[in-house]
Amino acid sequence: MELFDVKRDEVIKSAVVSGRTTYEEALERFYPLIDRFEEQRKLQRPRFYDRLKKDILAGCIMPPITLAFVHEAMSAEVNIHAISDFIQANINEGYVLDGMQRLNTLKAASVEEGFDPARPIFVSVIIAEKYDLLLYRMITLNNGQKPMTVRHQVEMLTGNLIGKMMGDGALQNITILKEKETEQNSPKGSFRMVDVASAYLAFLTGGPNNQNSRFIEEKLDEILVGKVMESGLTSEQTSFTDVLSQVDRVSENPVVKDWLRNENNLIGFTLGAKKSNIELSQITPEHFASCILAFEAAFQAINPSKVNVGKYRRELSLHFIENIDTLKDAREEQLTEEFFELTVN
């Protein structure tokens, strides 16, 4: 692979590299990366890709592939030689951010008569400092393309992020299971991957309410994309990885762990922690458990027949965690009064 140029993307705080390789190397080194995203294995075969296969065999220049890496130190690198060495050494850790279908089509074309493995294919490489910014760029790249929705993209990258954290030993107190894993293992005491993905989506959009069955999926997807773009994600100091580490830390206490396994509580915690992560880090799991008990006692004052309980739980837990520094020692009566003021309308 030949790399031409590297520039700094100041929006997503990443190194962006332009390069070129051959069809042969793309199939050898890029195509296996498709399987790094398990949720992407159900590949679509619209007519466009059948046309592209014929064009490849006829000698077209295929649209560029975008690869991505997450590496804090290298995201600030602007030396093309250092970047090249990093990519060559760590290609197995990369992701296909844009062009999965094209690589699959290239693979299909490679077994046909007339395929030229020496034909060039252009490549863009993004080296981001954290997953949140990589996902931000992924959403902007894929917006408007079907069938992948924003929710699907978030679920996809969540699984990979969790896998890396678990592989690095960063999660000591919690286990996160995918849906298919709960079929063989008891989910008791474990977090569901789909709930963590919902919390990540809330983190990205900056809001707790991202589900609305009254809207068709396509329109809801447009709304979610707009929320992500306007959320100020690229200037956030706290990453979703930081929040998950905080979840893991306080989950040492079983009361807290059980509370956070509720999807609505986890969403509220995630959003609140974006603003109060430093304050949260100073609270012991035992102290936080007492905070949770006070929260729950106050929450019981809300009449469930009069409100959308899930919505109120997300919003009030968000408020509670966001203001944990002032509410950490609040009594039930104080919290009940505060919740009353917040829900009066």
Side-chain angles (χ1 to χ4, degrees), residues 48-74:
F48 169 79
Y49 294 105
D50 289 333
R51 178 69 261 175
L52 178 59
K53 184 173 77 169
K54 294 176 182 177
D55 287 348
I56 290 171
L57 295 172
C60 79
I61 299 294
M62 197 168 76
I65 301 296
T66 301
L67 302 180
F69 298 83
V70 178
H71 194 283
E72 185 174 359
M74 291 305 297

Side-chain angles (χ1 to χ4, degrees), residues 195-196 198-203 206-210 240 243 247 259-260 262-276 280 288 292 295 310-324:
D195 294 340
V196 178
S198 293
Y200 200 176
L201 183 58
F203 181 92
N209 303 311
N210 294 308
F240 186 65
V243 173
V247 169
W259 189 78
L260 286 171
N262 178 288
E263 179 186 14
N264 294 316
N265 292 335
L266 182 61
I267 288 173
F269 181 94
T270 297
L271 281 169
K274 287 178 74 172
K275 305 300 182 185
S276 65
L280 275 170
F288 191 68
I292 293 307
F295 173 92
K311 180 177 182 292
Y312 271 65
R313 182 170 282 280
R314 291 192 295 272
E315 293 175 350
L316 291 178
S317 59
L318 160 59
H319 173 80
F320 183 68
I321 300 301
E322 190 174 50
N323 296 280
I324 194 67

